[in-house]
Amino acid sequence: MFSFSYAGRHEVCPVAGEPALLVRDLHAGYDQRDVLQGVTMHVPVGARVALIGANGAGKSTLFKTVAGLLPIRSGEVRIYGRPVGACHHRVAYLPQRSEIDWHFPITVRRLVVSGRYVHLGWFRRPRLEDWRIVDAMLARLQIDDLAERQIGQLSGGQQQRVMLARALAQGADLLLLDEPLNAVDAETRAIVAAVLAEEKANGRTIVVATHDLDRLESDYDAVIRLEDGRAYGEAVLHLPKQALPVLTPGVVHA
């Protein structure tokens, strides 16, 4: 249902002055095929960045590599100045809804508390504080009434809110959200948008893979486009909305 890479985990402090995410000449993919072919990108702390590109451009592959779910074949990934292996606790990855086995026999509350495992490690029971965090996230996403419901009984919008609650329960500084508003109802869209705005105001760094190009200027500080396994654009904080760059292949915009 989920893949985690907790072996040898370390909870280390960020390096002062380093960006939330720094990727240099990254090559990664599946089997013998490189989906990402020399991706370089820089996301400052506190930015809310849109990651755009056609299906198959490598958005999900990039997220999974940063989250430690795929190996780095060559190049470098730094999260708050630290390598991926040192930062599992600092990164929360929300996959596309279609990647989850929604027939798995687990309740909403139990699924959300799995976001705390990165702090606990395997085979350790959640503490009272972990459950308190879980219940607070369920209330925040307005799904606390669904806490004991089986996840297979949820609507698409409810599923997406549960997944976001799980990511937020982790308490990560960097959120990687893969199509969080794809095919959801208007109520879920409004709730998720409000929560993400609050997270940004609280200093979280958010990278969102999205096909919703109509909201790029209103919702994001900057845009990075993936095309043919390469990235175009640079995430820049406090970029005036009217100056949001139009990114063109072969040009890296500062």
Side-chain angles (χ1 to χ4, degrees), residues 179-191:
E179 299 285 353
L181 296 176
N182 184 37
V184 298
D185 56 276
E187 180 185 24
T188 293
R189 181 175 289 272
I191 291 170

Side-chain angles (χ1 to χ4, degrees), residues 185-200:
D185 56 276
E187 180 185 24
T188 293
R189 181 175 289 272
I191 291 170
V192 169
V195 168
L196 293 183
E198 292 170 359
E199 289 298 303
K200 174 176 168 53

Side-chain angles (χ1 to χ4, degrees), residues 35 42 62 65 74 131 135 168:
V35 176
H42 173 282
L62 176 61
T65 305
S74 64
W131 288 115
D135 292 338
L168 295 177

Side-chain angles (χ1 to χ4, degrees), residues 102-227:
W102 294 102
H103 299 291
F104 191 84
I106 190 173
T107 66
V108 166
R109 196 166 183 251
R110 287 285 177 181
L111 175 55
V112 175
V113 82
S114 68
R116 302 295 302 163
Y117 291 170
V118 70
H119 301 286
L120 296 172
W122 292 115
F123 309 119
R124 292 181 59 189
R125 297 173 64 85
R127 303 155 298 186
L128 182 62
E129 175 64 11
D130 297 308
W131 288 115
R132 186 195 67 77
I133 292 170
V134 166
D135 292 338
M137 293 305 108
L138 291 176
R140 192 175 176 197
L141 273 297
Q142 300 182 31
I143 49 175
D144 44 326
D145 58 323
L146 304 176
E148 299 306 324
R149 185 173 297 185
Q150 292 288 317
I151 62 172
Q153 300 173 341
L154 304 177
S155 68
Q158 290 168 341
Q159 290 173 349
Q160 199 64 45
R161 281 191 257 174
V162 168
M163 292 296 297
L164 181 56
R166 178 187 176 277
L168 295 177
Q170 183 177 322
D173 299 310
L174 173 62
L175 303 178
L176 308 175
L177 311 180
D178 200 347
E179 299 285 353
L181 296 176
N182 184 37
V184 298
D185 56 276
E187 180 185 24
T188 293
R189 181 175 289 272
I191 291 170
V192 169
V195 168
L196 293 183
E198 292 170 359
E199 289 298 303
K200 174 176 168 53
N202 290 332
R204 298 286 189 274
T205 305
I206 306 171
V207 184
V208 180
T210 180
H211 289 290
D212 189 357
L213 305 186
D214 293 335
R215 300 192 61 84
L216 295 182
E217 292 190 6
S218 62
D219 290 357
Y220 300 96
D221 297 306
V223 176
I224 294 175
R225 178 161 59 88
L226 285 184
E227 182 178 304

Side-chain angles (χ1 to χ4, degrees), residues 26-129:
L26 175 64
H27 290 252
Y30 307 88
D31 298 323
Q32 301 303 311
R33 183 173 69 93
D34 276 355
V35 176
L36 305 179
Q37 303 176 31
V39 168
T40 295
M41 57 188 290
H42 173 282
V43 179
V45 174
R48 186 172 175 183
V49 177
L51 183 65
I52 65 173
N55 290 333
K59 300 186 296 297
S60 297
T61 302
L62 176 61
F63 281 172
K64 290 175 182 178
T65 305
V66 173
L69 303 178
L70 287 175
I72 297 171
R73 290 184 176 166
S74 64
E76 181 182 24
V77 176
R78 292 275 168 173
I79 301 164
Y80 294 92
R82 303 292 187 180
V84 172
C87 294
H88 294 307
H89 65 293
R90 204 169 294 284
V91 180
Y93 166 54
L94 188 157
Q96 292 187 26
R97 206 164 65 241
S98 60
E99 295 190 23
I100 305 303
D101 178 8
W102 294 102
H103 299 291
F104 191 84
I106 190 173
T107 66
V108 166
R109 196 166 183 251
R110 287 285 177 181
L111 175 55
V112 175
V113 82
S114 68
R116 302 295 302 163
Y117 291 170
V118 70
H119 301 286
L120 296 172
W122 292 115
F123 309 119
R124 292 181 59 189
R125 297 173 64 85
R127 303 155 298 186
L128 182 62
E129 175 64 11

